[in-house]
Amino acid sequence: MSANWTEQHIPDQHGRVAIVTGANTGLGFETARMLAARGAAVVLAVRDVGKGKRAAARITGDVTVQALDLTSLDSIRAAAADLRATHPRIDLLINNAGVMYTRKQTTADGFELQFGTNHLGHFALTGLLLDRLLPVPGSRVVTVSSTGHRIRAAIHFDDLQWERSYSRVGAYGQAKLANLMFTYELQRRLAPHGTTVAVAAHPGVSNTELARNAPAALRVPVTWLGPLLTQKAEMGALPTLRAATDPAVIGGQYYGPGGLGEIRGYPKLVTSSPDSHDQAAQQRLWTVSEELTGVTFPAR
């Protein structure tokens, strides 16, 4: 296979069901578009159904829209119930949606917004849908992380919700580190089943709406140097798509752009920080996440 993995390398997806969170714009939209183009039945799981329907109208193929607000456990449970009722099998769950560098806010359930949306919301959704993936050979859970998992990143078990102090960058780093720890622990739990695998990906620095909440000191350089620092959303989506569809992928891997600093380029296998591989912290995070969300996963 060519070193430059592109949309053309996505295998035929006819007969497969893919759920993509945050799929009305940016990376999620491009991920959904390319999967649908290859024949998958794609569900755009989005907070704003109107925007989701407009996005679906721009995609050729079998596309439906599902209301999903990852900042609300009630919405997550309702969405999971709807998806379970309409899809007896799920081949791909792509945990793509996210927020970045937001001002201090909390979710409907009182979680810090970035940790609650990026990690806890997807943790709960995955747990509620996993039994629809487990019977399906070749099924995958792909969670989108970020190079931000290395920046001021730690799991602050003594203050997960940043109640004592708040850092936009630190909170984002914690959430994206949690995405990776979740993936690695999930893979260990899935391995005995032998059907479903958990994989992670990151888009490098892509030109999307995600950074709209970044501090001005970061927004200004990106505005002026964007063409040099970023890549288009369709390129940024390729690591996720490779993690989701490349037959050579194995559980527990992490894909990102292959260029300098993993900022841009064609997707390849990459490595994550040593902190992300701390198994004791992964297991502790898992336990805390179950307690906070009230969602437990199917037994090993």
Side-chain angles (χ1 to χ4, degrees), residues 161-209:
Q161 312 306 336
W162 296 81
E163 294 171 321
R164 292 202 294 268
S165 64
Y166 183 69
S167 162
R168 294 187 186 195
V169 175
Y172 183 69
Q174 172 176 264
K176 293 287 105 177
L177 177 59
N179 287 151
L180 283 164
M181 292 178 134
F182 165 60
T183 296
Y184 298 149
E185 178 63 19
L186 177 60
Q187 174 56 31
R188 271 195 300 277
R189 292 167 179 256
L190 290 173
H193 294 282
T195 52
T196 308
V197 298
V199 193
H202 81 83
V205 182
S206 298
N207 186 12
T208 70
E209 297 178 357

mmCIF file of all heavy atoms in Angstrom, residues 161-209:
data_model
loop_
_atom_site.group_PDB
_atom_site.id
_atom_site.type_symbol
_atom_site.label_atom_id
_atom_site.label_comp_id
_atom_site.label_asym_id
_atom_site.label_seq_id
_atom_site.Cartn_x
_atom_site.Cartn_y
_atom_site.Cartn_z
ATOM 1 N N GLN A 161 -12.831 18.480 37.891
ATOM 2 C CA GLN A 161 -13.740 19.478 37.323
ATOM 3 C C GLN A 161 -13.181 20.894 37.402
ATOM 4 O O GLN A 161 -13.901 21.859 37.156
ATOM 5 C CB GLN A 161 -15.105 19.396 38.022
ATOM 6 C CG GLN A 161 -15.675 17.999 38.155
ATOM 7 C CD GLN A 161 -15.773 17.246 36.828
ATOM 8 O OE1 GLN A 161 -15.841 17.839 35.758
ATOM 9 N NE2 GLN A 161 -15.787 15.913 36.903
ATOM 10 N N TRP A 162 -11.918 21.029 37.759
ATOM 11 C CA TRP A 162 -11.238 22.330 37.783
ATOM 12 C C TRP A 162 -12.008 23.349 38.631
ATOM 13 O O TRP A 162 -12.193 24.503 38.235
ATOM 14 C CB TRP A 162 -11.044 22.852 36.355
ATOM 15 C CG TRP A 162 -10.137 21.992 35.538
ATOM 16 C CD1 TRP A 162 -10.453 20.835 34.894
ATOM 17 C CD2 TRP A 162 -8.737 22.200 35.300
ATOM 18 N NE1 TRP A 162 -9.351 20.299 34.260
ATOM 19 C CE2 TRP A 162 -8.287 21.128 34.485
ATOM 20 C CE3 TRP A 162 -7.828 23.205 35.663
ATOM 21 C CZ2 TRP A 162 -6.967 21.013 34.059
ATOM 22 C CZ3 TRP A 162 -6.520 23.095 35.232
ATOM 23 C CH2 TRP A 162 -6.097 22.013 34.443
ATOM 24 N N GLU A 163 -12.419 22.914 39.807
ATOM 25 C CA GLU A 163 -13.186 23.801 40.685
ATOM 26 C C GLU A 163 -12.289 24.758 41.466
ATOM 27 O O GLU A 163 -12.717 25.846 41.839
ATOM 28 C CB GLU A 163 -14.034 22.959 41.641
ATOM 29 C CG GLU A 163 -15.110 22.164 40.920
ATOM 30 C CD GLU A 163 -15.816 21.158 41.813
ATOM 31 O OE1 GLU A 163 -15.163 20.525 42.648
ATOM 32 O OE2 GLU A 163 -17.045 21.012 41.637
ATOM 33 N N ARG A 164 -11.040 24.367 41.715
ATOM 34 C CA ARG A 164 -10.135 25.227 42.494
ATOM 35 C C ARG A 164 -9.502 26.314 41.635
ATOM 36 O O ARG A 164 -9.296 27.441 42.081
ATOM 37 C CB ARG A 164 -9.056 24.373 43.167
ATOM 38 C CG ARG A 164 -9.600 23.456 44.252
ATOM 39 C CD ARG A 164 -8.516 23.057 45.223
ATOM 40 N NE ARG A 164 -7.494 22.219 44.592
ATOM 41 C CZ ARG A 164 -7.529 20.887 44.577
ATOM 42 N NH1 ARG A 164 -8.542 20.246 45.149
ATOM 43 N NH2 ARG A 164 -6.566 20.195 44.009
ATOM 44 N N SER A 165 -9.151 25.975 40.430
ATOM 45 C CA SER A 165 -8.601 26.946 39.476
ATOM 46 C C SER A 165 -8.888 26.405 38.086
ATOM 47 O O SER A 165 -9.256 25.237 37.939
ATOM 48 C CB SER A 165 -7.094 27.132 39.688
ATOM 49 O OG SER A 165 -6.406 25.920 39.424
ATOM 50 N N TYR A 166 -8.716 27.263 37.076
ATOM 51 C CA TYR A 166 -9.073 26.817 35.730
ATOM 52 C C TYR A 166 -8.060 27.297 34.710
ATOM 53 O O TYR A 166 -7.655 28.457 34.714
ATOM 54 C CB TYR A 166 -10.461 27.331 35.337
ATOM 55 C CG TYR A 166 -10.913 26.849 33.972
ATOM 56 C CD1 TYR A 166 -11.218 25.506 33.758
ATOM 57 C CD2 TYR A 166 -11.010 27.730 32.900
ATOM 58 C CE1 TYR A 166 -11.629 25.043 32.509
ATOM 59 C CE2 TYR A 166 -11.421 27.278 31.642
ATOM 60 C CZ TYR A 166 -11.726 25.939 31.454
ATOM 61 O OH TYR A 166 -12.112 25.489 30.227
ATOM 62 N N SER A 167 -7.659 26.375 33.838
ATOM 63 C CA SER A 167 -6.799 26.677 32.700
ATOM 64 C C SER A 167 -7.451 26.106 31.455
ATOM 65 O O SER A 167 -7.699 24.899 31.387
ATOM 66 C CB SER A 167 -5.403 26.062 32.896
ATOM 67 O OG SER A 167 -4.705 25.978 31.665
ATOM 68 N N ARG A 168 -7.735 26.952 30.477
ATOM 69 C CA ARG A 168 -8.337 26.458 29.233
ATOM 70 C C ARG A 168 -7.456 25.390 28.583
ATOM 71 O O ARG A 168 -7.937 24.347 28.137
ATOM 72 C CB ARG A 168 -8.505 27.604 28.235
ATOM 73 C CG ARG A 168 -9.482 28.671 28.611
ATOM 74 C CD ARG A 168 -9.640 29.635 27.435
ATOM 75 N NE ARG A 168 -10.468 30.780 27.793
ATOM 76 C CZ ARG A 168 -11.000 31.602 26.904
ATOM 77 N NH1 ARG A 168 -10.794 31.398 25.617
ATOM 78 N NH2 ARG A 168 -11.739 32.622 27.283
ATOM 79 N N VAL A 169 -6.161 25.685 28.541
ATOM 80 C CA VAL A 169 -5.228 24.773 27.890
ATOM 81 C C VAL A 169 -5.067 23.500 28.711
ATOM 82 O O VAL A 169 -5.063 22.386 28.175
ATOM 83 C CB VAL A 169 -3.872 25.468 27.663
ATOM 84 C CG1 VAL A 169 -2.850 24.493 27.082
ATOM 85 C CG2 VAL A 169 -4.046 26.667 26.720
ATOM 86 N N GLY A 170 -4.938 23.639 30.010
ATOM 87 C CA GLY A 170 -4.784 22.471 30.870
ATOM 88 C C GLY A 170 -6.007 21.575 30.858
ATOM 89 O O GLY A 170 -5.894 20.339 30.849
ATOM 90 N N ALA A 171 -7.191 22.186 30.847
ATOM 91 C CA ALA A 171 -8.426 21.391 30.828
ATOM 92 C C ALA A 171 -8.571 20.643 29.506
ATOM 93 O O ALA A 171 -9.013 19.490 29.475
ATOM 94 C CB ALA A 171 -9.630 22.295 31.068
ATOM 95 N N TYR A 172 -8.176 21.290 28.414
ATOM 96 C CA TYR A 172 -8.219 20.606 27.122
ATOM 97 C C TYR A 172 -7.217 19.464 27.099
ATOM 98 O O TYR A 172 -7.528 18.350 26.631
ATOM 99 C CB TYR A 172 -7.919 21.598 25.990
ATOM 100 C CG TYR A 172 -8.003 20.989 24.611
ATOM 101 C CD1 TYR A 172 -9.232 20.594 24.082
ATOM 102 C CD2 TYR A 172 -6.861 20.809 23.827
ATOM 103 C CE1 TYR A 172 -9.324 20.038 22.813
ATOM 104 C CE2 TYR A 172 -6.942 20.257 22.558
ATOM 105 C CZ TYR A 172 -8.172 19.876 22.049
ATOM 106 O OH TYR A 172 -8.255 19.316 20.798
ATOM 107 N N GLY A 173 -6.016 19.720 27.621
ATOM 108 C CA GLY A 173 -5.009 18.661 27.677
ATOM 109 C C GLY A 173 -5.481 17.470 28.486
ATOM 110 O O GLY A 173 -5.264 16.313 28.101
ATOM 111 N N GLN A 174 -6.130 17.721 29.618
ATOM 112 C CA GLN A 174 -6.652 16.629 30.437
ATOM 113 C C GLN A 174 -7.691 15.820 29.658
ATOM 114 O O GLN A 174 -7.671 14.583 29.668
ATOM 115 C CB GLN A 174 -7.307 17.179 31.705
ATOM 116 C CG GLN A 174 -8.032 16.104 32.509
ATOM 117 C CD GLN A 174 -8.610 16.609 33.820
ATOM 118 O OE1 GLN A 174 -7.988 16.478 34.855
ATOM 119 N NE2 GLN A 174 -9.804 17.205 33.771
ATOM 120 N N ALA A 175 -8.598 16.519 28.954
ATOM 121 C CA ALA A 175 -9.661 15.830 28.220
ATOM 122 C C ALA A 175 -9.104 14.972 27.093
ATOM 123 O O ALA A 175 -9.542 13.836 26.878
ATOM 124 C CB ALA A 175 -10.649 16.860 27.666
ATOM 125 N N LYS A 176 -8.113 15.500 26.374
ATOM 126 C CA LYS A 176 -7.555 14.753 25.246
ATOM 127 C C LYS A 176 -6.651 13.611 25.726
ATOM 128 O O LYS A 176 -6.586 12.559 25.077
ATOM 129 C CB LYS A 176 -6.793 15.699 24.324
ATOM 130 C CG LYS A 176 -7.679 16.714 23.617
ATOM 131 C CD LYS A 176 -8.512 16.068 22.509
ATOM 132 C CE LYS A 176 -9.953 15.867 22.815
ATOM 133 N NZ LYS A 176 -10.725 15.294 21.687
ATOM 134 N N LEU A 177 -5.999 13.793 26.859
ATOM 135 C CA LEU A 177 -5.256 12.693 27.471
ATOM 136 C C LEU A 177 -6.226 11.605 27.920
ATOM 137 O O LEU A 177 -5.976 10.403 27.740
ATOM 138 C CB LEU A 177 -4.440 13.209 28.658
ATOM 139 C CG LEU A 177 -3.642 12.179 29.469
ATOM 140 C CD1 LEU A 177 -2.634 11.438 28.596
ATOM 141 C CD2 LEU A 177 -2.937 12.872 30.650
ATOM 142 N N ALA A 178 -7.360 12.019 28.463
ATOM 143 C CA ALA A 178 -8.379 11.057 28.882
ATOM 144 C C ALA A 178 -8.897 10.250 27.696
ATOM 145 O O ALA A 178 -9.165 9.045 27.826
ATOM 146 C CB ALA A 178 -9.529 11.786 29.575
ATOM 147 N N ASN A 179 -9.042 10.883 26.521
ATOM 148 C CA ASN A 179 -9.478 10.150 25.324
ATOM 149 C C ASN A 179 -8.546 8.987 25.023
ATOM 150 O O ASN A 179 -8.989 7.883 24.673
ATOM 151 C CB ASN A 179 -9.513 11.075 24.110
ATOM 152 C CG ASN A 179 -10.659 12.062 24.114
ATOM 153 O OD1 ASN A 179 -10.545 13.143 23.553
ATOM 154 N ND2 ASN A 179 -11.771 11.720 24.746
ATOM 155 N N LEU A 180 -7.245 9.218 25.133
ATOM 156 C CA LEU A 180 -6.272 8.157 24.852
ATOM 157 C C LEU A 180 -6.288 7.091 25.934
ATOM 158 O O LEU A 180 -6.263 5.888 25.637
ATOM 159 C CB LEU A 180 -4.873 8.755 24.711
ATOM 160 C CG LEU A 180 -4.617 9.460 23.376
ATOM 161 C CD1 LEU A 180 -3.379 10.340 23.460
ATOM 162 C CD2 LEU A 180 -4.462 8.438 22.256
ATOM 163 N N MET A 181 -6.333 7.501 27.185
ATOM 164 C CA MET A 181 -6.362 6.525 28.272
ATOM 165 C C MET A 181 -7.610 5.650 28.176
ATOM 166 O O MET A 181 -7.552 4.438 28.426
ATOM 167 C CB MET A 181 -6.310 7.249 29.618
ATOM 168 C CG MET A 181 -4.981 7.928 29.885
ATOM 169 S SD MET A 181 -5.022 8.804 31.460
ATOM 170 C CE MET A 181 -3.469 8.299 32.150
ATOM 171 N N PHE A 182 -8.723 6.256 27.813
ATOM 172 C CA PHE A 182 -9.955 5.506 27.605
ATOM 173 C C PHE A 182 -9.780 4.484 26.492
ATOM 174 O O PHE A 182 -10.174 3.318 26.631
ATOM 175 C CB PHE A 182 -11.091 6.480 27.274
ATOM 176 C CG PHE A 182 -12.319 5.830 26.703
ATOM 177 C CD1 PHE A 182 -13.015 4.869 27.423
ATOM 178 C CD2 PHE A 182 -12.786 6.186 25.445
ATOM 179 C CE1 PHE A 182 -14.161 4.274 26.895
ATOM 180 C CE2 PHE A 182 -13.923 5.606 24.913
ATOM 181 C CZ PHE A 182 -14.608 4.641 25.637
ATOM 182 N N THR A 183 -9.182 4.896 25.382
ATOM 183 C CA THR A 183 -8.974 3.981 24.260
ATOM 184 C C THR A 183 -8.126 2.788 24.665
ATOM 185 O O THR A 183 -8.463 1.634 24.361
ATOM 186 C CB THR A 183 -8.304 4.719 23.094
ATOM 187 O OG1 THR A 183 -9.184 5.742 22.618
ATOM 188 C CG2 THR A 183 -7.968 3.762 21.949
ATOM 189 N N TYR A 184 -7.029 3.035 25.362
ATOM 190 C CA TYR A 184 -6.112 1.944 25.716
ATOM 191 C C TYR A 184 -6.735 0.990 26.727
ATOM 192 O O TYR A 184 -6.575 -0.231 26.622
ATOM 193 C CB TYR A 184 -4.802 2.524 26.259
ATOM 194 C CG TYR A 184 -4.050 3.375 25.259
ATOM 195 C CD1 TYR A 184 -3.259 4.441 25.675
ATOM 196 C CD2 TYR A 184 -4.136 3.142 23.882
ATOM 197 C CE1 TYR A 184 -2.568 5.230 24.765
ATOM 198 C CE2 TYR A 184 -3.451 3.922 22.969
ATOM 199 C CZ TYR A 184 -2.668 4.973 23.417
ATOM 200 O OH TYR A 184 -1.978 5.739 22.504
ATOM 201 N N GLU A 185 -7.459 1.535 27.689
ATOM 202 C CA GLU A 185 -8.116 0.662 28.673
ATOM 203 C C GLU A 185 -9.276 -0.091 28.026
ATOM 204 O O GLU A 185 -9.490 -1.285 28.308
ATOM 205 C CB GLU A 185 -8.611 1.484 29.860
ATOM 206 C CG GLU A 185 -9.351 0.684 30.924
ATOM 207 C CD GLU A 185 -8.512 -0.382 31.617
ATOM 208 O OE1 GLU A 185 -7.257 -0.314 31.559
ATOM 209 O OE2 GLU A 185 -9.107 -1.305 32.223
ATOM 210 N N LEU A 186 -10.019 0.586 27.156
ATOM 211 C CA LEU A 186 -11.110 -0.083 26.452
ATOM 212 C C LEU A 186 -10.574 -1.237 25.620
ATOM 213 O O LEU A 186 -11.171 -2.326 25.604
ATOM 214 C CB LEU A 186 -11.854 0.909 25.559
ATOM 215 C CG LEU A 186 -12.991 0.339 24.708
ATOM 216 C CD1 LEU A 186 -14.074 -0.299 25.574
ATOM 217 C CD2 LEU A 186 -13.590 1.440 23.814
ATOM 218 N N GLN A 187 -9.452 -1.035 24.943
ATOM 219 C CA GLN A 187 -8.884 -2.112 24.134
ATOM 220 C C GLN A 187 -8.531 -3.326 24.987
ATOM 221 O O GLN A 187 -8.773 -4.472 24.581
ATOM 222 C CB GLN A 187 -7.645 -1.618 23.372
ATOM 223 C CG GLN A 187 -6.903 -2.705 22.616
ATOM 224 C CD GLN A 187 -7.775 -3.462 21.624
ATOM 225 O OE1 GLN A 187 -8.717 -2.901 21.069
ATOM 226 N NE2 GLN A 187 -7.460 -4.727 21.384
ATOM 227 N N ARG A 188 -7.966 -3.102 26.161
ATOM 228 C CA ARG A 188 -7.655 -4.242 27.040
ATOM 229 C C ARG A 188 -8.918 -5.004 27.421
ATOM 230 O O ARG A 188 -8.912 -6.229 27.515
ATOM 231 C CB ARG A 188 -6.927 -3.768 28.297
ATOM 232 C CG ARG A 188 -5.421 -3.726 28.160
ATOM 233 C CD ARG A 188 -4.724 -3.620 29.504
ATOM 234 N NE ARG A 188 -5.134 -2.417 30.211
ATOM 235 C CZ ARG A 188 -4.605 -1.212 29.994
ATOM 236 N NH1 ARG A 188 -3.678 -1.061 29.079
ATOM 237 N NH2 ARG A 188 -5.013 -0.170 30.668
ATOM 238 N N ARG A 189 -9.994 -4.285 27.632
ATOM 239 C CA ARG A 189 -11.246 -4.932 28.014
ATOM 240 C C ARG A 189 -11.918 -5.631 26.826
ATOM 241 O O ARG A 189 -12.649 -6.596 27.011
ATOM 242 C CB ARG A 189 -12.192 -3.892 28.634
ATOM 243 C CG ARG A 189 -11.682 -3.391 29.980
ATOM 244 C CD ARG A 189 -12.423 -2.152 30.460
ATOM 245 N NE ARG A 189 -11.917 -1.719 31.750
ATOM 246 C CZ ARG A 189 -12.532 -1.899 32.921
ATOM 247 N NH1 ARG A 189 -13.716 -2.501 32.955
ATOM 248 N NH2 ARG A 189 -11.982 -1.495 34.049
ATOM 249 N N LEU A 190 -11.690 -5.112 25.621
ATOM 250 C CA LEU A 190 -12.285 -5.706 24.429
ATOM 251 C C LEU A 190 -11.527 -6.927 23.932
ATOM 252 O O LEU A 190 -12.114 -7.801 23.286
ATOM 253 C CB LEU A 190 -12.324 -4.670 23.296
ATOM 254 C CG LEU A 190 -13.296 -3.505 23.461
ATOM 255 C CD1 LEU A 190 -13.082 -2.499 22.342
ATOM 256 C CD2 LEU A 190 -14.740 -3.984 23.477
ATOM 257 N N ALA A 191 -10.238 -6.983 24.205
ATOM 258 C CA ALA A 191 -9.391 -8.024 23.622
ATOM 259 C C ALA A 191 -9.939 -9.435 23.814
ATOM 260 O O ALA A 191 -9.896 -10.242 22.875
ATOM 261 C CB ALA A 191 -7.970 -7.912 24.168
ATOM 262 N N PRO A 192 -10.461 -9.797 24.991
ATOM 263 C CA PRO A 192 -10.966 -11.167 25.143
ATOM 264 C C PRO A 192 -12.139 -11.505 24.229
ATOM 265 O O PRO A 192 -12.365 -12.674 23.916
ATOM 266 C CB PRO A 192 -11.390 -11.225 26.616
ATOM 267 C CG PRO A 192 -10.599 -10.157 27.293
ATOM 268 C CD PRO A 192 -10.493 -9.061 26.278
ATOM 269 N N HIS A 193 -12.895 -10.482 23.791
ATOM 270 C CA HIS A 193 -14.041 -10.742 22.911
ATOM 271 C C HIS A 193 -13.592 -11.096 21.501
ATOM 272 O O HIS A 193 -14.265 -11.851 20.802
ATOM 273 C CB HIS A 193 -14.965 -9.517 22.870
ATOM 274 C CG HIS A 193 -15.631 -9.221 24.173
ATOM 275 N ND1 HIS A 193 -16.721 -9.919 24.623
ATOM 276 C CD2 HIS A 193 -15.368 -8.297 25.132
ATOM 277 C CE1 HIS A 193 -17.108 -9.441 25.803
ATOM 278 N NE2 HIS A 193 -16.294 -8.455 26.132
ATOM 279 N N GLY A 194 -12.497 -10.505 21.047
ATOM 280 C CA GLY A 194 -11.937 -10.841 19.750
ATOM 281 C C GLY A 194 -12.690 -10.318 18.551
ATOM 282 O O GLY A 194 -12.433 -10.737 17.421
ATOM 283 N N THR A 195 -13.645 -9.406 18.738
ATOM 284 C CA THR A 195 -14.415 -8.888 17.604
ATOM 285 C C THR A 195 -14.225 -7.395 17.426
ATOM 286 O O THR A 195 -13.927 -6.922 16.337
ATOM 287 C CB THR A 195 -15.917 -9.165 17.785
ATOM 288 O OG1 THR A 195 -16.332 -8.677 19.074
ATOM 289 C CG2 THR A 195 -16.214 -10.653 17.681
ATOM 290 N N THR A 196 -14.407 -6.632 18.488
ATOM 291 C CA THR A 196 -14.357 -5.173 18.438
ATOM 292 C C THR A 196 -12.998 -4.690 18.933
ATOM 293 O O THR A 196 -12.456 -5.240 19.888
ATOM 294 C CB THR A 196 -15.460 -4.572 19.322
ATOM 295 O OG1 THR A 196 -16.721 -5.156 18.974
ATOM 296 C CG2 THR A 196 -15.537 -3.065 19.170
ATOM 297 N N VAL A 197 -12.463 -3.642 18.289
ATOM 298 C CA VAL A 197 -11.213 -3.049 18.752
ATOM 299 C C VAL A 197 -11.417 -1.562 19.004
ATOM 300 O O VAL A 197 -12.329 -0.936 18.456
ATOM 301 C CB VAL A 197 -10.050 -3.251 17.756
ATOM 302 C CG1 VAL A 197 -9.752 -4.741 17.567
ATOM 303 C CG2 VAL A 197 -10.334 -2.584 16.420
ATOM 304 N N ALA A 198 -10.554 -1.006 19.841
ATOM 305 C CA ALA A 198 -10.557 0.424 20.133
ATOM 306 C C ALA A 198 -9.280 1.038 19.575
ATOM 307 O O ALA A 198 -8.185 0.519 19.795
ATOM 308 C CB ALA A 198 -10.638 0.663 21.635
ATOM 309 N N VAL A 199 -9.426 2.124 18.844
ATOM 310 C CA VAL A 199 -8.309 2.788 18.187
ATOM 311 C C VAL A 199 -8.467 4.293 18.405
ATOM 312 O O VAL A 199 -9.581 4.794 18.595
ATOM 313 C CB VAL A 199 -8.282 2.477 16.670
ATOM 314 C CG1 VAL A 199 -6.964 2.895 16.045
ATOM 315 C CG2 VAL A 199 -8.554 1.003 16.409
ATOM 316 N N ALA A 200 -7.349 5.027 18.375
ATOM 317 C CA ALA A 200 -7.396 6.479 18.526
ATOM 318 C C ALA A 200 -6.762 7.149 17.316
ATOM 319 O O ALA A 200 -6.009 6.534 16.557
ATOM 320 C CB ALA A 200 -6.670 6.903 19.801
ATOM 321 N N ALA A 201 -7.078 8.425 17.142
ATOM 322 C CA ALA A 201 -6.522 9.192 16.033
ATOM 323 C C ALA A 201 -6.452 10.652 16.448
ATOM 324 O O ALA A 201 -7.113 11.083 17.404
ATOM 325 C CB ALA A 201 -7.390 9.042 14.785
ATOM 326 N N HIS A 202 -5.637 11.414 15.727
ATOM 327 C CA HIS A 202 -5.672 12.865 15.898
ATOM 328 C C HIS A 202 -5.475 13.531 14.544
ATOM 329 O O HIS A 202 -4.842 12.973 13.648
ATOM 330 C CB HIS A 202 -4.639 13.333 16.932
ATOM 331 C CG HIS A 202 -3.242 13.471 16.417
ATOM 332 N ND1 HIS A 202 -2.804 14.600 15.747
ATOM 333 C CD2 HIS A 202 -2.157 12.653 16.482
ATOM 334 C CE1 HIS A 202 -1.528 14.459 15.422
ATOM 335 N NE2 HIS A 202 -1.118 13.290 15.858
ATOM 336 N N PRO A 203 -6.038 14.737 14.358
ATOM 337 C CA PRO A 203 -6.057 15.362 13.036
ATOM 338 C C PRO A 203 -4.904 16.301 12.744
ATOM 339 O O PRO A 203 -4.902 16.949 11.687
ATOM 340 C CB PRO A 203 -7.368 16.152 13.081
ATOM 341 C CG PRO A 203 -7.447 16.602 14.504
ATOM 342 C CD PRO A 203 -6.898 15.450 15.320
ATOM 343 N N GLY A 204 -3.922 16.403 13.672
ATOM 344 C CA GLY A 204 -2.916 17.436 13.485
ATOM 345 C C GLY A 204 -3.540 18.795 13.739
ATOM 346 O O GLY A 204 -4.407 18.953 14.599
ATOM 347 N N VAL A 205 -3.104 19.778 12.983
ATOM 348 C CA VAL A 205 -3.677 21.121 13.092
ATOM 349 C C VAL A 205 -4.511 21.359 11.840
ATOM 350 O O VAL A 205 -3.976 21.595 10.757
ATOM 351 C CB VAL A 205 -2.577 22.188 13.230
ATOM 352 C CG1 VAL A 205 -3.205 23.584 13.381
ATOM 353 C CG2 VAL A 205 -1.685 21.883 14.429
ATOM 354 N N SER A 206 -5.821 21.262 11.994
ATOM 355 C CA SER A 206 -6.716 21.339 10.845
ATOM 356 C C SER A 206 -7.534 22.621 10.893
ATOM 357 O O SER A 206 -7.842 23.151 11.967
ATOM 358 C CB SER A 206 -7.650 20.126 10.819
ATOM 359 O OG SER A 206 -6.900 18.937 10.690
ATOM 360 N N ASN A 207 -7.901 23.090 9.735
ATOM 361 C CA ASN A 207 -8.633 24.336 9.602
ATOM 362 C C ASN A 207 -10.124 24.070 9.810
ATOM 363 O O ASN A 207 -10.874 23.850 8.864
ATOM 364 C CB ASN A 207 -8.383 24.939 8.218
ATOM 365 C CG ASN A 207 -9.001 26.326 8.083
ATOM 366 O OD1 ASN A 207 -9.424 26.927 9.059
ATOM 367 N ND2 ASN A 207 -9.055 26.828 6.861
ATOM 368 N N THR A 208 -10.537 24.074 11.079
ATOM 369 C CA THR A 208 -11.937 23.830 11.429
ATOM 370 C C THR A 208 -12.392 24.892 12.428
ATOM 371 O O THR A 208 -11.614 25.768 12.818
ATOM 372 C CB THR A 208 -12.115 22.437 12.061
ATOM 373 O OG1 THR A 208 -11.517 22.434 13.369
ATOM 374 C CG2 THR A 208 -11.470 21.357 11.203
ATOM 375 N N GLU A 209 -13.640 24.768 12.879
ATOM 376 C CA GLU A 209 -14.191 25.718 13.851
ATOM 377 C C GLU A 209 -13.744 25.422 15.279
ATOM 378 O O GLU A 209 -14.038 26.191 16.192
ATOM 379 C CB GLU A 209 -15.722 25.676 13.804
ATOM 380 C CG GLU A 209 -16.328 26.094 12.477
ATOM 381 C CD GLU A 209 -17.835 25.986 12.476
ATOM 382 O OE1 GLU A 209 -18.396 25.531 13.500
ATOM 383 O OE2 GLU A 209 -18.459 26.347 11.468
#
